[in-house]
Amino acid sequence: MNRIDIGDCELALEQRGAGPILLLVHGFPLDHSMWDEQIAGLSQDFHVLAPDLRGFGQSDVTPGKVTMDQFADDLAALLDALAMDQPVALCGLSMGGYIAFAFCRRHPGRLGHLILCDTRSDADSPEGQRGRLAMAEHVLKAGSSSVVAAMLPRLLAEATTDRRPAVVDHLAAMIRSTDPRGIAAAQRGMAERPDATDLLRQIGVPALVVCGQHDSVSPPTHMRAMADAMPDSQFVEIPDAGHMSPMENPAAVNAAIRNFLG
Ligand code: MLT
């Protein structure tokens, strides 16, 4: 992995392949390796960029709060640092999708295609916001391992949890190794993200919406409605997968992305 200086911090970046740029933005509280199967498979056709976001993986941590706008600006600064000024295909999962919405608002000219995986367009309820702020305080005291057991069952389809120990172990290892200050900062940032439902109608680039069949965090009904609201979109449901569809059924996700961008 390279480390790229983006101004006030350095981001770790996995970069592979050649061709049109595909920027993969990971979910919470994970790192670029959630895209391992996409990096391996899609780098045959694309120049894949898979950064660790600020506060995650091997990137620098800036404690306090990191907003979705800040994460989006970091991605634009990363592209600047790499001297890549052509429009990119941006693919974000869950929190990566919230960041993609901020990128659409703040850097529309840099976007050629949008891929939303297992994410939501609405903002948090007051109860949801309180839950995030409580988790931020808790994780700073009790450490990242303390949130693994609560998070895992939400993220995976039951069949994955029962029969795919390698996926479960990889996911748990990513959460455990995330700096608690990074987890707290992103939770505070997600708690105040704006509703993106109105934005959907204004998205001026082709969009692909990908959702695991058993995703309980951002269910297919919600994501199909998101796709319906966008002027130029496709919806693909991924069988045998929950919220982490790129890890749970990488062949189907890679095929959907390849068809869309192909
Ligand atoms: C994620 O997978 O990024 C999280 O589920 C996002 C969230 O906590 O809303």
Side-chain angles (χ1 to χ4, degrees):
M1 285 188 85
N2 303 121
R3 287 184 72 79
I4 311 290
D5 185 347
I6 60 160
D8 69 331
C9 77
E10 286 187 7
L11 297 185
L13 174 70
E14 178 74 46
Q15 188 173 185
R16 207 176 307 167
I21 297 164
L22 174 61
L23 175 58
L24 302 174
V25 186
H26 64 76
F28 168 88
L30 309 174
D31 61 48
H32 79 281
S33 71
M34 64 147 282
W35 301 112
D36 277 351
E37 299 283 348
Q38 284 67 46
I39 297 167
L42 296 172
S43 60
Q44 291 159 21
D45 301 299
F46 303 100
H47 184 159
V48 178
L49 302 177
D52 288 339
L53 295 165
R54 182 189 288 256
F56 296 90
Q58 293 167 49
S59 288
D60 288 345
V61 181
T62 51
K65 174 170 69 186
V66 181
T67 61
M68 301 305 103
D69 286 355
Q70 175 71 64
F71 284 128
D73 290 353
D74 286 353
L75 296 176
L78 178 72
L79 294 171
D80 283 342
L82 298 169
M84 293 176 174
D85 53 11
Q86 65 272 52
V88 303
L90 193 156
C91 171
L93 178 129
S94 200
M95 181 180 78
Y98 311 155
I99 296 166
F101 290 134
F103 195 89
C104 292
R105 288 192 191 95
R106 296 168 75 82
H107 307 284
R110 306 195 82 140
L111 194 65
H113 292 80
L114 176 65
I115 304 169
L116 298 169
C117 290
D118 301 282
T119 192
R120 308 186 57 94
S121 58
D122 50 2
D124 286 342
S125 63
E127 187 193 348
Q129 289 177 322
R130 280 194 293 277
R132 289 194 191 279
L133 301 182
M135 198 232 241
E137 295 310 311
H138 170 77
V139 78
L140 288 172
K141 292 189 200 105
S144 303
S145 300
S146 70
V147 301
V148 172
M151 289 209 69
L152 278 191
R154 291 176 68 236
L155 298 179
L156 297 171
E158 230 174 278
T160 310
T161 306
D162 292 347
R163 290 186 228 126
R164 309 272 304 280
V167 173
V168 178
D169 290 351
H170 181 188
L171 198 56
M174 276 189 278
I175 300 174
R176 233 180 266 122
S177 64
T178 303
D179 190 306
R181 296 169 304 163
I183 293 181
Q187 279 289 40
R188 293 177 182 131
M190 282 192 283
E192 62 177 51
R193 74 186 189 284
D195 192 298
T197 311
D198 287 344
L199 177 73
L200 295 172
R201 261 174 261 129
Q202 296 157 30
I203 288 176
V205 298
L208 170 67
V209 176
V210 172
C211 185
Q213 178 188 11
H214 304 295
D215 186 342
S216 58
V217 180
S218 40
T221 43
H222 177 81
M223 292 206 75
R224 195 181 283 278
M226 285 169 56
D228 288 346
M230 287 190 266
D232 179 3
S233 70
Q234 300 171 24
F235 175 80
V236 177
E237 187 170 299
I238 304 296
D240 306 320
H243 190 57
M244 297 306 302
S245 62
M247 294 177 71
E248 298 181 74
N249 192 343
V253 170
N254 288 5
I257 293 176
R258 204 176 267 119
N259 285 342
F260 171 63
L261 296 176

